[in-house]
Amino acid sequence: MFKAIAATFLAIATSFSILLFSPPPKSYYHSLFISDSLSDNVSISHHLYTLTRRPHVAGSQANAEAAAYVLSTLSSCNMQAHIVSYEVLLTYPASRSLTLTRPPPEPPITFDLKQEIYDGDPYADVANEVLPTSHAYAKSGSVTGAVVYVNYGRLEDYDTLKEMGVNVTGTIVLARYGQIYRGDIVMNAFDAGAIGALVYTDRKDYGGGGGDAKWFPDDKWMPPTGVQVGTVYNGSGDPTTPGWASTQGCERLSVEEVERSGDVPLIPSLPISGADGETILRSIGGQIAKDDWQGSNGAPTYKLGPGPGVVNLNYNGKQVIATIQNVIGVIEGVEEPDRFVILGNHRDAWTFGAVDPNSGTAALLEVAQRLWKLQRIGWKPRRTIILCNWDAEEYGLTGSTEWVEENRELLASRAVAYLNVDCAVSGAGFHAAATPQLDELLKQAAQQIQDPDNSSQTIYEQWVGSTHSPVIGRLGGAGSDYAAFVQHIGVPAADMLFGGGYPVYHSMYDDFVWMENFGDPMFHRHVAVASVWGLVALRLADEEFLPFDYHSYAFELQKSAEELEDEISDKGVTFSHLFKSIEELSEAARKINNQKKEIKEAKGWTSMWRNDHVKVRELNDRLMMAERAFTDRDGLLRRPWYKHLIYAPSRHNDYGSTSFPGINDAIEKAKNLNTVESWDLVQHEVWRVSRAVGHASLVLKGELT
């Protein structure tokens, strides 16, 4: 009796002692993180100014200096910071030329292919460091042919040309940017029989609509000589090391093997300005293009060709095995150091990179500095937080992909989530995309932070607008560094930004002046995106139970499956087993949420003597690992690097996000062939997804069959 009373008093005394001397709850630090007292728009502005003083393409000395700056800043925040290097295949332009031959008496034109410096440009002294306009991994060669205008270069545009009797074979196509990934523009041209591709920036999409529109530096629009450069590689990571890391002395594919892979173009291509594009359009005759293929006010009438204008396109690229540098900073978790919450942004830019990507880099450094301020007043994360600054993203998500491939097994067993920010700020309006179990967490974080453009509302209220719920995109596209995490190894992920598409994208005008005048004059949007990014990371790192909700996932799968079923309802493909698997996932989500609730309610004075922490850990592991179950070791048919059966890029638009990519690929093929065997393949892909969803349900339940 006495021993029981003593034990009770001891428990009470211990509990009061813990309450008396315990640190503030983690939520206190989270609120502090997003407060005005810790945020610093001046510091963010300084980071961006420093990072964008010179063009810093991957493999350049300027980009190595930017890496050193990021490393120094992370190290000053009391992080374990280091550089991880890889040796990867990069390409640079050696020479290029473009000549237009017009019908007599018009003389031929040789384009100078230069982006003009404007009066008073503060970066005129380093403008010569900007790479000559080109496409990374473009095919070297010289081609001459009549020009055909192909609108945005999509599959449906080629279908329209075919219907109108326009033959593309043996021609050089002229396509405009704006709807699909440039690499797919070139690939689609090759598939249609073209021998070369020119891709230009139309005033209608990037120049303010023509007419009296002004352009940078007087307004935000792309100048007439502005050129959107970029990669035309259709894979992820170093093309010579598909599926393994590009470490020094590693095995590599030959250039010939890379070409046979189908991920690099087999015809020359060149990006050109809107002014040059219009000049070529004036030389094209033939049928008049449809209304929605036309340009803006003041543009010439767009015709289809072929010819009579003929262009000679010369491009010669040099291939280099170059050193790239990822910068990694680590804050080790106190209770669960072997669980990783990863934040990532890339550093390399085609030119100055004020929006893409260094608005995100500046925000990453702001997050690091705020976390250091929290550490100084006692905060310590429960789980490990890793800050990653990737290199060579612009070439093909290279730095992040090589790191994921090198650390595949550790990440697959320990990564809680990956949070990506690329172009953090290009204007007003918050946007996010995620794997669905993170939807509610993103919404909750946005509800806690003030809208930088309207102090009377939260970011969430701006995000929702006049609808009942915000639109959250999905991570099926290959547009940024989340790809390797989600699509290759199945790690839950999110991507966030303010703004969206912006006119001077990938041109030499994406500089600090553009950001200061048009993107974010007061840098309050930078502060806001850092707040959302960091708050989501803190909750994932600190909360006892991982804030995942798989009900959202089941809802998304149900919606996507119903859309697919409607699309091919007359083809004899059954989806019943897929719907059954989704129902089981929904039930597993309900069950694990109830288990979480039961453990929380059971916590009391005596919880410290029970094995609650073991139960919590086991439940969290199920929440973390369920996403891995959506992957398949064989990957997608003819695209084996992409392992995720729910989210992957569209086959004909690398930027496009596709749900059930394997099913979609099979449907596209079956529609073309329309054979019994092709529709049987569709059914097989539906079965594959059904099995993957079933595996995810089993993981969530945590029970063997």
Side-chain angles (χ1 to χ4, degrees):
M1 178 72 175
F2 176 76
K3 287 182 179 179
I5 294 171
T8 301
F9 275 113
L10 178 61
I12 293 170
T14 303
S15 301
F16 275 116
S17 175
I18 290 170
L19 288 172
L20 192 61
F21 299 106
S22 62
K26 292 292 176 69
S27 58
Y28 164 79
Y29 295 110
H30 298 179
S31 297
L32 200 57
F33 179 87
I34 61 176
S35 69
D36 291 341
S37 62
L38 259 65
S39 62
D40 191 344
N41 62 327
V42 175
S43 175
I44 293 182
S45 172
H46 172 74
H47 288 316
L48 187 64
Y49 177 81
T50 303
L51 288 161
T52 60
R53 185 64 190 89
R54 294 169 61 192
H56 48 287
V57 71
S60 67
Q61 178 59 33
N63 200 37
E65 291 169 7
Y69 178 79
V70 172
L71 179 69
S72 173
T73 305
L74 294 183
S75 297
S76 70
C77 295
N78 199 37
M79 287 189 188
Q80 305 165 34
H82 63 283
I83 284 177
V84 181
S85 298
Y86 297 100
E87 307 295 315
V88 303
L89 178 72
L90 303 180
T91 70
Y92 303 99
S95 64
R96 78 263 195 273
S97 66
L98 184 67
T99 301
L100 170 66
T101 301
R102 300 176 290 179
E106 298 292 336
I109 297 174
T110 298
F111 298 100
D112 66 12
L113 304 177
K114 290 182 179 178
Q115 301 183 82
E116 290 182 359
I117 299 167
Y118 60 88
D119 290 340
D121 184 352
Y123 299 104
D125 61 324
V126 291
N128 64 337
E129 297 180 26
V130 175
L131 282 182
T133 53
S134 63
H135 284 148
Y137 300 113
K139 174 77 172 174
S140 292
S142 178
V143 292
T144 301
V147 185
V148 172
Y149 170 56
V150 297
N151 198 23
Y152 293 107
R154 302 165 296 186
L155 291 180
E156 55 262 43
D157 295 325
Y158 286 100
D159 289 341
T160 297
L161 290 171
K162 188 175 181 180
E163 290 167 6
M164 297 179 73
V166 178
N167 185 8
V168 177
T169 302
T171 68
I172 293 176
V173 303
L174 177 67
R176 52 183 175 180
Y177 283 114
Q179 291 296 320
I180 64 172
Y181 169 59
R182 73 188 74 78
D184 290 307
I185 293 176
V186 180
M187 290 286 190
N188 292 347
F190 172 77
D191 290 342
I195 59 173
L198 300 170
V199 192
Y200 79 103
T201 304
D202 198 299
R203 279 190 289 168
K204 182 179 179 180
D205 300 299
Y206 297 91
D212 298 326
K214 296 179 180 179
W215 54 77
F216 184 73
D218 298 316
D219 207 332
K220 69 179 183 178
W221 303 106
M222 178 81 97
T225 65
V227 179
Q228 181 195 134
V229 302
T231 187
V232 287
Y233 173 47
N234 274 356
S236 291
D238 183 346
T240 69
T241 61
W244 65 91
S246 297
T247 52
Q248 195 166 15
C250 71
E251 176 190 9
R252 292 186 186 277
L253 300 185
S254 66
V255 173
E256 293 74 23
E257 288 172 314
V258 169
E259 286 199 347
R260 287 199 298 270
S261 73
D263 286 332
V264 294
L266 299 177
I267 57 173
S269 67
L270 199 65
I272 60 175
S273 68
D276 292 349
E278 282 198 5
T279 299
I280 295 172
L281 279 161
R282 293 178 194 277
S283 78
I284 300 176
Q287 299 177 66
I288 295 175
K290 299 193 308 179
D291 287 347
D292 59 349
W293 286 42
Q294 294 295 328
S296 57
N297 294 334
T301 299
Y302 292 3
K303 298 178 181 179
L304 302 176
V310 172
V311 297
N312 172 246
L313 187 172
N314 283 284
Y315 175 75
N316 183 35
K318 56 182 178 181
Q319 299 182 333
V320 178
I321 298 295
T323 301
I324 63 168
Q325 299 178 316
N326 294 335
V327 185
I328 310 293
V330 180
I331 305 174
E332 190 167 326
V334 175
E335 294 161 77
E336 297 183 74
D338 60 340
R339 291 293 177 264
F340 307 150
V341 175
I342 306 169
L343 292 76
N345 152 269
H346 75 97
R347 179 186 67 258
D348 66 296
W350 285 122
T351 63
F352 296 95
V355 174
D356 184 9
N358 299 130
S359 59
T361 315
L364 182 75
L365 298 180
E366 164 74 0
V367 169
Q369 289 175 324
R370 288 197 220 174
L371 293 178
W372 170 225
K373 291 172 185 176
L374 290 185
Q375 286 179 282
R376 286 160 61 185
I377 58 171
W379 168 80
K380 295 177 182 178
R382 178 188 182 94
R383 302 178 185 92
T384 294
I385 296 176
I386 304 175
L387 276 62
C388 303
N389 186 228
W390 310 117
D391 202 351
E393 186 270 358
E394 295 293 3
Y395 277 83
L397 316 179
T398 308
S400 59
T401 298
E402 300 310 311
W403 192 75
V404 168
E405 288 175 346
E406 183 171 39
N407 297 286
R408 181 187 294 112
E409 305 310 324
L410 267 181
L411 292 171
S413 61
R414 298 184 179 186
V416 170
Y418 173 71
L419 307 174
N420 190 69
V421 171
D422 191 328
C423 304
V425 179
S426 60
F430 181 74
H431 302 276
T435 47
Q437 74 275 65
L438 292 175
D439 286 1
E440 289 304 314
L441 176 59
L442 284 168
K443 293 176 189 177
Q444 291 165 14
Q447 287 169 351
Q448 290 185 247
I449 298 161
Q450 188 181 83
D451 177 7
D453 296 293
N454 184 349
S455 60
S456 68
Q457 65 180 6
T458 64
I459 288 175
Y460 180 80
E461 289 167 321
Q462 169 270 307
W463 190 13
V464 170
S466 59
T467 63
H468 295 296
S469 183
V471 174
I472 300 177
R474 298 300 164 214
L475 298 177
S480 194
D481 290 301
Y482 53 75
F485 289 90
V486 177
Q487 298 157 14
H488 191 57
I489 61 173
V491 172
D495 183 68
M496 58 201 82
L497 67 143
F498 273 86
Y502 63 105
V504 297
Y505 173 67
H506 280 193
S507 76
M508 71 176 285
Y509 309 108
D510 181 6
D511 62 17
F512 188 81
V513 175
W514 190 93
M515 178 62 76
E516 199 171 36
N517 289 337
F518 307 112
D520 192 11
M522 298 303 295
F523 286 84
H524 290 154
R525 294 166 187 158
H526 283 75
V527 169
V529 78
S531 294
V532 179
W533 196 8
L535 181 58
V536 171
L538 282 169
R539 289 194 56 189
L540 287 165
D542 282 343
E543 290 193 6
E544 185 177 21
F545 293 93
L546 291 178
F548 289 173
D549 185 357
Y550 279 88
H551 273 303
S552 298
Y553 224 128
F555 176 79
E556 283 291 310
L557 295 181
Q558 181 75 19
K559 185 172 65 172
S560 298
E562 288 173 355
E563 290 171 358
L564 273 183
E565 185 183 42
D566 290 343
E567 182 184 343
I568 56 170
S569 57
D570 59 341
K571 301 300 181 181
V573 178
T574 177
F575 283 75
S576 57
H577 39 280
L578 176 55
F579 288 122
K580 184 173 184 295
S581 293
I582 294 169
E583 188 179 332
E584 290 171 356
L585 180 68
S586 183
E587 175 59 25
R590 185 196 63 79
K591 184 175 179 181
I592 199 168
N593 285 348
N594 286 341
Q595 290 171 342
K596 187 191 302 185
K597 185 178 179 182
E598 288 169 7
I599 296 173
K600 285 181 179 179
E601 290 175 348
K603 285 183 175 294
W605 293 109
T606 59
S607 64
M608 68 187 74
W609 286 284
R610 298 210 310 262
N611 285 328
D612 279 358
H613 64 282
V614 175
K615 292 181 181 178
V616 171
R617 170 82 169 196
E618 188 273 337
L619 186 145
N620 282 337
D621 283 351
R622 286 187 271 144
L623 290 168
M624 180 180 77
M625 297 302 291
E627 185 72 42
R628 315 286 197 271
F630 293 122
T631 62
D632 183 285
R633 63 185 177 186
D634 294 329
L636 299 180
L637 189 64
R638 293 188 296 278
R639 296 194 288 163
W641 187 86
Y642 295 103
K643 308 293 185 186
H644 209 285
L645 299 189
I646 311 300
Y647 297 116
S650 164
R651 178 179 285 279
H652 294 285
N653 179 13
D654 214 42
Y655 287 161
S657 177
T658 299
S659 297
F660 307 134
I663 302 176
N664 272 290
D665 288 350
I667 289 174
E668 182 183 313
K669 185 176 181 180
K671 284 181 175 179
N672 288 329
L673 299 176
N674 202 26
T675 61
V676 173
E677 291 78 13
S678 64
W679 288 108
D680 284 346
L681 180 60
V682 174
Q683 186 67 76
H684 170 66
E685 290 295 335
V686 174
W687 274 113
R688 288 184 76 197
V689 174
S690 303
R691 289 190 287 269
V693 176
H695 293 156
S697 300
L698 288 174
V699 172
L700 278 183
K701 291 175 183 175
E703 299 170 358
L704 294 170
T705 56

